[in-house]
Amino acid sequence: MLYHPGKAGVSMSLFPTYIENSNVAASAEKQQTAPREYEIDFETGQLTGGTVEGKEAVKVWIWLALQTPRYRYYIYTWDYGSDFEELIGQGYTEEYIATETQRMTEDCLLVNEHVQGIKEFSVNMEGSTLTISFVADTIYGEIEFKNQAVAAPV
């Protein structure tokens, strides 16, 4: 430690503290903790009052991300949410809707570091409701979603 001659009680280090602090912050970022979310009843969309961790927390995150329109709520970053509303009422062909829905789903889910990819993707139009089925490949294992309604006219 060096002592600053003009200031009583102030000590200075030979090494910049911002470098030491950034190393501590970088090592803290590398440590991953298991994700934790509030538990949701997927049938009603209501909170159950419990919490879930690990694979179930990733499942809750996926469900919420698919149900949340991107750019609508200020609380979320622009990376969070889905763009499925853009497909409603546009008169697109079924092939285009299927292709775009898969791309939009991947864009929505792959921002999460725990989601590694999606597979077995299928799209179904039931009336004016768009439903998707897929298997999400996560670091905790596979999570299956069947007939998940993602877009419907309001």
Side-chain angles (χ1 to χ4, degrees):
M1 291 285 201
L2 296 176
Y3 293 98
H4 194 278
K7 299 186 180 186
V10 176
S11 62
M12 296 180 355
S13 172
L14 287 175
F15 303 104
T17 57
Y18 66 88
I19 292 175
E20 293 171 15
N21 292 340
S22 67
N23 290 340
V24 170
S27 66
E29 286 179 9
K30 290 179 184 176
Q31 297 175 356
Q32 273 191 350
T33 58
R36 189 173 191 179
E37 292 280 350
Y38 289 105
E39 186 176 30
I40 291 181
D41 179 353
F42 297 118
E43 296 297 320
T44 64
Q46 300 294 313
L47 295 172
T48 64
T51 58
V52 291
E53 292 185 8
K55 185 177 181 179
E56 282 300 309
V58 174
K59 185 175 183 177
V60 169
W61 185 91
I62 289 171
W63 187 85
L64 287 171
L66 291 172
Q67 299 301 317
T68 305
R70 190 174 288 181
Y71 313 120
R72 181 176 295 172
Y73 304 105
Y74 294 120
I75 192 170
Y76 300 117
T77 67
W78 282 12
D79 292 336
Y80 185 80
S82 64
D83 297 318
F84 299 123
E85 287 184 339
E86 295 176 8
L87 299 174
I88 296 174
Q90 300 299 321
Y92 296 131
T93 64
E94 288 186 28
E95 294 82 15
Y96 179 80
I97 291 173
T99 304
E100 278 299 290
T101 302
Q102 183 169 357
R103 182 193 62 78
M104 289 175 175
T105 303
E106 289 172 351
D107 286 350
C108 175
L109 301 184
L110 294 180
V111 298
N112 187 319
E113 62 190 9
H114 300 104
V115 179
Q116 297 173 325
I118 62 171
K119 58 187 178 183
E120 300 175 26
F121 192 86
S122 65
V123 177
N124 189 19
M125 288 290 294
E126 297 174 10
S128 57
T129 302
L130 178 66
T131 60
I132 59 175
S133 299
F134 62 93
V135 175
D137 185 25
T138 73
I139 63 173
Y140 299 103
E142 294 181 345
I143 302 172
E144 186 175 14
F145 283 86
K146 286 200 175 259
N147 298 321
Q148 178 71 45
V150 293
V154 180

